[in-house]
């Protein structure tokens, strides 16, 4: 018997939107809409790209979700809702997924969006010539021949994706993957316009060249300063979009951003580290805090070229144990974050956080064990270890790094050199293993534990530690076909805690200042896959 999943239209709440919008009121709530529907927000760094197959950072992905649309989107609670795909069917063992695409979807130049645009994009993602940092995602998705194509051992045409016709996309997997549809909300899976890429090469993403299929078009980009996107009249649901213009401003200093927010220049900005309590008192209607599907951690270089002292597991464990995570979350950040002893956060769907050994100890016990381990490795306050910790430029990252360096110095006598780097430089330094310890953060690409744990798989493109453990690889591979993968995930978390190639520090909370006239921020979506087309501003 075939399994068929038929999805509802993208947003039934907006079904009667056009007449209401014409009258200047929200179609569901009846609120009076503001005349100026411009959403302006702050980002920390310049994004890596707006090319769906190239972008690798959170802020860039937020832009790409406005410019492009994949098979599926997420609603305000993180549930799948139709994007270019109206529905999908699977065979009995969920190894073949067949997507029915909406015939009214168009590119911004008027060209219809077809199944072939997805085939081109996914083959492009897997193609070694593209050099995508997310190339490994075709294996995470379980696409047939994904590993061989990515390795260059098979032509891209052998990847498990094909167009049955213009509006039917067939995907074949290596093995059953019940949560496959969830992976299609990731930006790397979004379609790409072959004709524009072939015509303009790497310049195809410039405002004057780019062709998009999302709710917005790219109209301005000043590197390291601002990016503007405006309504795409060709978007299939343009009539029901309320926000007309979206502006992201690069502001490296979170305190400067807050000042500009208070001056009315921004509709949304992050709450600076440590300022949540005071802002909650002074601006209670604007403070917004909620759980995130994200982990903040330090990655340790354990590659073949790593310093010998980092290859000593005792040193890595000591560095982890000596960090008082409660001080970081409760004293330094003060924004609803929770201490992390596992990589995977509790907000992950279907995941039970295991009680790894050191999480059950008191901080005094952790400090004592850290001192013992460091001494056994040959280091103490009379013979201190020297270490360099790098982080990307941010006041919050700096505050965490200062706190950690003081803990390492006080508890272990470690001399820490702190080094901050601009975002793209930092990514290169970390990705090429030209570091000792580096700040890292990961937000789930989909809501399942493997989105975190696959990063410690030896072949992962974001395994910046270059950690390799055959048993971990096998546990993760086996988990993909298990009805209940929790036992495998528990073992992997225990092995991470034992080997300590990464040091989990805290699990994120979303903490924003949001102006009271901006509505419908998806606080219940732990992945924070937000879409400007779902927001609106009311008259005040």
């Amino acid at each position: 018997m075939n399994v068929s999943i038929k999805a509802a239209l993208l947003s039934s709440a907006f079904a009667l939107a056009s007449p209401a919008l014409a009258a200047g009121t929200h179609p569901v709530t009846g609120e009076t809409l503001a005349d100026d529907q411009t959403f302006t927000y702050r980002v920390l760094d310049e994004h890596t790209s707006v090319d769906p197959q190239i972008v690798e950072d959170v802020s860039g992905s937020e832009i790409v979700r406005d410019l492009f649309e994949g098979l599926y989107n997420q609603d305000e609670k993180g549930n799948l809702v139709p994007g270019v795909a109206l529905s999908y069917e699977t065979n009995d063992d969920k190894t073949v997924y067949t997507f029915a695409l909406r015939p009214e979807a168009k590119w911004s130049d008027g060209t219809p969006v077809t199944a072939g645009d997805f085939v081109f994009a996914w083959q492009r993602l897997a193609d070694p010539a593209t050099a995508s940092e997310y190339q490994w995602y075709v294996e995470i998705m379980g696409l047939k021949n994904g590993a061989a194509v990515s390795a260059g051992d098979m032509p891209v045409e052998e990847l498990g994706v094909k167009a049955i016709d213009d509006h039917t996309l067939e995907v074949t997997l290596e093995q059953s993957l019940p949560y496959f549809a969830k992976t299609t909300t990731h930006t790397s899976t979004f379609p790409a316009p072959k004709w524009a890429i072939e015509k303009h090469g790497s310049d195809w993403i410039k405002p004057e060249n780019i062709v998009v299929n999302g709710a917005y078009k790219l109209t301005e980009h000043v590197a390291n300063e601002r990016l503007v996107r405006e309504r795409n009249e060709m978007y299939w649901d343009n009539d029901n979009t309320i926000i007309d213009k979206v502006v992201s401003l690069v502001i490296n200093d979170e305190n400067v951003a807050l000042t500009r927010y208070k001056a009315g220049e921004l509709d949304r900005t992050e709450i600076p580290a440590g300022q949540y309590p005071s802002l909650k008192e002074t601006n209670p209607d604007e403070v917004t805090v909620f759980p995130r599907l994200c982990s903040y951690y330090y990655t340790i270089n354990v590659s073949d070229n790593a310093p010998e002292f980092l290859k000593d597991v005792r040193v890595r464990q000591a560095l982890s144990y000596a960090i008082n995570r409660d001080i970081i979350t409760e004293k330094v950040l003060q924004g609803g974050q929770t201490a992390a002893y596992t990589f995977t956060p509790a907000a992950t769907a279907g995941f039970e956080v295991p009680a790894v050994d050191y999480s059950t100890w008191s901080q005094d016990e952790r400090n004592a064990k850290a001192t013992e381990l460091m001494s056994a490795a040959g280091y103490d306050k009379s013979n201190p270890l020297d270490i360099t910790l790098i982080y990307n430029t941010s006041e919050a990252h700096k505050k965490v790094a200062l706190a950690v360096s003081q803990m390492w110095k006080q508890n272990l006598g470690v001399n820490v050199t702190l080094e901050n780097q601009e975002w793209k430089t930092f990514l290169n330094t970390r990705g090429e293993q030209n570091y000792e310890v580096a700040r890292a953060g990961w937000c789930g690409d989909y809501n399942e534990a493997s989105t975190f744990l696959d990063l410690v798989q030896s072949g992962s493109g974001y395994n910046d530690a270059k950690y390799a453990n055959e048993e971990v690889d096998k546990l993760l591979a086996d988990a993909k076909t298990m009805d209940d993968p929790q036992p495998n995930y528990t073992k992997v978390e225990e092995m991470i805690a034992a080997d300590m190639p990464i040091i989990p520090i805290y699990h994120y909370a979303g903490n924003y200042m949001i102006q009271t006239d901006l509505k419908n921020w998806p606080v219940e979506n732990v992945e924070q896959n937000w879409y400007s087309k779902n927001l609106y501003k009311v008259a005040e």
Side-chain angles (χ1 to χ4, degrees), residues 387-398:
I387 198 165
T388 299
L389 169 60
I390 67 168
Y391 59 94
N392 55 299
T393 305
S394 157
E395 190 63 26
H397 299 334
K398 180 180 179 180

mmCIF file with all atom_site columns, all heavy atoms in Angstrom, residues 387-398:
data_model
loop_
_atom_site.group_PDB
_atom_site.id
_atom_site.type_symbol
_atom_site.label_atom_id
_atom_site.label_alt_id
_atom_site.label_comp_id
_atom_site.label_asym_id
_atom_site.label_entity_id
_atom_site.label_seq_id
_atom_site.pdbx_PDB_ins_code
_atom_site.Cartn_x
_atom_site.Cartn_y
_atom_site.Cartn_z
_atom_site.occupancy
_atom_site.B_iso_or_equiv
_atom_site.pdbx_formal_charge
_atom_site.auth_seq_id
_atom_site.auth_comp_id
_atom_site.auth_asym_id
_atom_site.auth_atom_id
_atom_site.pdbx_PDB_model_num
ATOM 1  N N   . ILE A 1 387 ? 47.694 28.123 25.407 1.00 0.00 ? 387 ILE A N   1
ATOM 2  C CA  . ILE A 1 387 ? 46.699 27.739 24.411 1.00 0.00 ? 387 ILE A CA  1
ATOM 3  C C   . ILE A 1 387 ? 46.086 28.988 23.783 1.00 0.00 ? 387 ILE A C   1
ATOM 4  O O   . ILE A 1 387 ? 45.953 30.027 24.451 1.00 0.00 ? 387 ILE A O   1
ATOM 5  C CB  . ILE A 1 387 ? 45.611 26.846 25.053 1.00 0.00 ? 387 ILE A CB  1
ATOM 6  C CG1 . ILE A 1 387 ? 44.833 26.073 23.998 1.00 0.00 ? 387 ILE A CG1 1
ATOM 7  C CG2 . ILE A 1 387 ? 44.660 27.654 25.920 1.00 0.00 ? 387 ILE A CG2 1
ATOM 8  C CD1 . ILE A 1 387 ? 44.004 24.933 24.580 1.00 0.00 ? 387 ILE A CD1 1
ATOM 9  N N   . THR A 1 388 ? 45.718 28.899 22.524 1.00 0.00 ? 388 THR A N   1
ATOM 10 C CA  . THR A 1 388 ? 45.070 30.014 21.832 1.00 0.00 ? 388 THR A CA  1
ATOM 11 C C   . THR A 1 388 ? 43.620 29.656 21.531 1.00 0.00 ? 388 THR A C   1
ATOM 12 O O   . THR A 1 388 ? 43.327 28.580 20.999 1.00 0.00 ? 388 THR A O   1
ATOM 13 C CB  . THR A 1 388 ? 45.787 30.346 20.509 1.00 0.00 ? 388 THR A CB  1
ATOM 14 O OG1 . THR A 1 388 ? 47.137 30.728 20.797 1.00 0.00 ? 388 THR A OG1 1
ATOM 15 C CG2 . THR A 1 388 ? 45.096 31.502 19.792 1.00 0.00 ? 388 THR A CG2 1
ATOM 16 N N   . LEU A 1 389 ? 42.715 30.550 21.889 1.00 0.00 ? 389 LEU A N   1
ATOM 17 C CA  . LEU A 1 389 ? 41.286 30.379 21.671 1.00 0.00 ? 389 LEU A CA  1
ATOM 18 C C   . LEU A 1 389 ? 40.828 31.448 20.685 1.00 0.00 ? 389 LEU A C   1
ATOM 19 O O   . LEU A 1 389 ? 41.002 32.645 20.927 1.00 0.00 ? 389 LEU A O   1
ATOM 20 C CB  . LEU A 1 389 ? 40.525 30.520 22.999 1.00 0.00 ? 389 LEU A CB  1
ATOM 21 C CG  . LEU A 1 389 ? 39.000 30.639 22.955 1.00 0.00 ? 389 LEU A CG  1
ATOM 22 C CD1 . LEU A 1 389 ? 38.367 29.424 22.315 1.00 0.00 ? 389 LEU A CD1 1
ATOM 23 C CD2 . LEU A 1 389 ? 38.444 30.855 24.365 1.00 0.00 ? 389 LEU A CD2 1
ATOM 24 N N   . ILE A 1 390 ? 40.234 31.028 19.563 1.00 0.00 ? 390 ILE A N   1
ATOM 25 C CA  . ILE A 1 390 ? 39.758 31.992 18.578 1.00 0.00 ? 390 ILE A CA  1
ATOM 26 C C   . ILE A 1 390 ? 38.232 32.046 18.581 1.00 0.00 ? 390 ILE A C   1
ATOM 27 O O   . ILE A 1 390 ? 37.550 31.074 18.909 1.00 0.00 ? 390 ILE A O   1
ATOM 28 C CB  . ILE A 1 390 ? 40.272 31.671 17.157 1.00 0.00 ? 390 ILE A CB  1
ATOM 29 C CG1 . ILE A 1 390 ? 39.663 30.364 16.620 1.00 0.00 ? 390 ILE A CG1 1
ATOM 30 C CG2 . ILE A 1 390 ? 41.791 31.613 17.118 1.00 0.00 ? 390 ILE A CG2 1
ATOM 31 C CD1 . ILE A 1 390 ? 39.912 30.145 15.127 1.00 0.00 ? 390 ILE A CD1 1
ATOM 32 N N   . TYR A 1 391 ? 37.719 33.225 18.236 1.00 0.00 ? 391 TYR A N   1
ATOM 33 C CA  . TYR A 1 391 ? 36.271 33.405 18.132 1.00 0.00 ? 391 TYR A CA  1
ATOM 34 C C   . TYR A 1 391 ? 36.008 34.485 17.098 1.00 0.00 ? 391 TYR A C   1
ATOM 35 O O   . TYR A 1 391 ? 36.874 35.336 16.818 1.00 0.00 ? 391 TYR A O   1
ATOM 36 C CB  . TYR A 1 391 ? 35.662 33.798 19.487 1.00 0.00 ? 391 TYR A CB  1
ATOM 37 C CG  . TYR A 1 391 ? 36.215 35.071 20.094 1.00 0.00 ? 391 TYR A CG  1
ATOM 38 C CD1 . TYR A 1 391 ? 35.586 36.297 19.877 1.00 0.00 ? 391 TYR A CD1 1
ATOM 39 C CD2 . TYR A 1 391 ? 37.373 35.050 20.870 1.00 0.00 ? 391 TYR A CD2 1
ATOM 40 C CE1 . TYR A 1 391 ? 36.093 37.471 20.424 1.00 0.00 ? 391 TYR A CE1 1
ATOM 41 C CE2 . TYR A 1 391 ? 37.888 36.214 21.428 1.00 0.00 ? 391 TYR A CE2 1
ATOM 42 C CZ  . TYR A 1 391 ? 37.239 37.417 21.194 1.00 0.00 ? 391 TYR A CZ  1
ATOM 43 O OH  . TYR A 1 391 ? 37.753 38.585 21.742 1.00 0.00 ? 391 TYR A OH  1
ATOM 44 N N   . ASN A 1 392 ? 34.822 34.462 16.485 1.00 0.00 ? 392 ASN A N   1
ATOM 45 C CA  . ASN A 1 392 ? 34.470 35.519 15.543 1.00 0.00 ? 392 ASN A CA  1
ATOM 46 C C   . ASN A 1 392 ? 34.010 36.743 16.310 1.00 0.00 ? 392 ASN A C   1
ATOM 47 O O   . ASN A 1 392 ? 33.438 36.653 17.403 1.00 0.00 ? 392 ASN A O   1
ATOM 48 C CB  . ASN A 1 392 ? 33.405 35.055 14.550 1.00 0.00 ? 392 ASN A CB  1
ATOM 49 C CG  . ASN A 1 392 ? 32.152 34.518 15.197 1.00 0.00 ? 392 ASN A CG  1
ATOM 50 O OD1 . ASN A 1 392 ? 32.216 33.533 15.942 1.00 0.00 ? 392 ASN A OD1 1
ATOM 51 N ND2 . ASN A 1 392 ? 31.017 35.131 14.919 1.00 0.00 ? 392 ASN A ND2 1
ATOM 52 N N   . THR A 1 393 ? 34.289 37.905 15.739 1.00 0.00 ? 393 THR A N   1
ATOM 53 C CA  . THR A 1 393 ? 34.086 39.180 16.420 1.00 0.00 ? 393 THR A CA  1
ATOM 54 C C   . THR A 1 393 ? 32.647 39.344 16.897 1.00 0.00 ? 393 THR A C   1
ATOM 55 O O   . THR A 1 393 ? 31.708 39.342 16.107 1.00 0.00 ? 393 THR A O   1
ATOM 56 C CB  . THR A 1 393 ? 34.449 40.338 15.481 1.00 0.00 ? 393 THR A CB  1
ATOM 57 O OG1 . THR A 1 393 ? 35.785 40.152 15.010 1.00 0.00 ? 393 THR A OG1 1
ATOM 58 C CG2 . THR A 1 393 ? 34.353 41.670 16.208 1.00 0.00 ? 393 THR A CG2 1
ATOM 59 N N   . SER A 1 394 ? 32.499 39.475 18.190 1.00 0.00 ? 394 SER A N   1
ATOM 60 C CA  . SER A 1 394 ? 31.192 39.665 18.822 1.00 0.00 ? 394 SER A CA  1
ATOM 61 C C   . SER A 1 394 ? 31.435 39.925 20.295 1.00 0.00 ? 394 SER A C   1
ATOM 62 O O   . SER A 1 394 ? 32.267 39.257 20.922 1.00 0.00 ? 394 SER A O   1
ATOM 63 C CB  . SER A 1 394 ? 30.308 38.424 18.657 1.00 0.00 ? 394 SER A CB  1
ATOM 64 O OG  . SER A 1 394 ? 29.306 38.352 19.645 1.00 0.00 ? 394 SER A OG  1
ATOM 65 N N   . GLU A 1 395 ? 30.711 40.886 20.856 1.00 0.00 ? 395 GLU A N   1
ATOM 66 C CA  . GLU A 1 395 ? 30.879 41.185 22.271 1.00 0.00 ? 395 GLU A CA  1
ATOM 67 C C   . GLU A 1 395 ? 30.481 39.998 23.142 1.00 0.00 ? 395 GLU A C   1
ATOM 68 O O   . GLU A 1 395 ? 31.123 39.692 24.145 1.00 0.00 ? 395 GLU A O   1
ATOM 69 C CB  . GLU A 1 395 ? 30.050 42.413 22.648 1.00 0.00 ? 395 GLU A CB  1
ATOM 70 C CG  . GLU A 1 395 ? 30.324 42.963 24.051 1.00 0.00 ? 395 GLU A CG  1
ATOM 71 C CD  . GLU A 1 395 ? 31.747 43.466 24.240 1.00 0.00 ? 395 GLU A CD  1
ATOM 72 O OE1 . GLU A 1 395 ? 32.389 43.853 23.236 1.00 0.00 ? 395 GLU A OE1 1
ATOM 73 O OE2 . GLU A 1 395 ? 32.229 43.473 25.394 1.00 0.00 ? 395 GLU A OE2 1
ATOM 74 N N   . ALA A 1 396 ? 29.419 39.292 22.738 1.00 0.00 ? 396 ALA A N   1
ATOM 75 C CA  . ALA A 1 396 ? 28.977 38.138 23.519 1.00 0.00 ? 396 ALA A CA  1
ATOM 76 C C   . ALA A 1 396 ? 30.015 37.021 23.468 1.00 0.00 ? 396 ALA A C   1
ATOM 77 O O   . ALA A 1 396 ? 30.331 36.407 24.493 1.00 0.00 ? 396 ALA A O   1
ATOM 78 C CB  . ALA A 1 396 ? 27.633 37.636 23.002 1.00 0.00 ? 396 ALA A CB  1
ATOM 79 N N   . HIS A 1 397 ? 30.552 36.730 22.272 1.00 0.00 ? 397 HIS A N   1
ATOM 80 C CA  . HIS A 1 397 ? 31.582 35.696 22.166 1.00 0.00 ? 397 HIS A CA  1
ATOM 81 C C   . HIS A 1 397 ? 32.811 36.080 22.992 1.00 0.00 ? 397 HIS A C   1
ATOM 82 O O   . HIS A 1 397 ? 33.451 35.225 23.617 1.00 0.00 ? 397 HIS A O   1
ATOM 83 C CB  . HIS A 1 397 ? 31.991 35.491 20.708 1.00 0.00 ? 397 HIS A CB  1
ATOM 84 C CG  . HIS A 1 397 ? 30.885 35.036 19.810 1.00 0.00 ? 397 HIS A CG  1
ATOM 85 N ND1 . HIS A 1 397 ? 29.802 34.331 20.262 1.00 0.00 ? 397 HIS A ND1 1
ATOM 86 C CD2 . HIS A 1 397 ? 30.696 35.189 18.465 1.00 0.00 ? 397 HIS A CD2 1
ATOM 87 C CE1 . HIS A 1 397 ? 28.988 34.069 19.251 1.00 0.00 ? 397 HIS A CE1 1
ATOM 88 N NE2 . HIS A 1 397 ? 29.513 34.578 18.155 1.00 0.00 ? 397 HIS A NE2 1
ATOM 89 N N   . LYS A 1 398 ? 33.123 37.354 22.985 1.00 0.00 ? 398 LYS A N   1
ATOM 90 C CA  . LYS A 1 398 ? 34.279 37.835 23.752 1.00 0.00 ? 398 LYS A CA  1
ATOM 91 C C   . LYS A 1 398 ? 34.048 37.632 25.245 1.00 0.00 ? 398 LYS A C   1
ATOM 92 O O   . LYS A 1 398 ? 34.949 37.185 25.971 1.00 0.00 ? 398 LYS A O   1
ATOM 93 C CB  . LYS A 1 398 ? 34.533 39.311 23.448 1.00 0.00 ? 398 LYS A CB  1
ATOM 94 C CG  . LYS A 1 398 ? 35.716 39.903 24.201 1.00 0.00 ? 398 LYS A CG  1
ATOM 95 C CD  . LYS A 1 398 ? 35.911 41.377 23.851 1.00 0.00 ? 398 LYS A CD  1
ATOM 96 C CE  . LYS A 1 398 ? 37.076 41.981 24.619 1.00 0.00 ? 398 LYS A CE  1
ATOM 97 N NZ  . LYS A 1 398 ? 37.258 43.421 24.280 1.00 0.00 ? 398 LYS A NZ  1
#
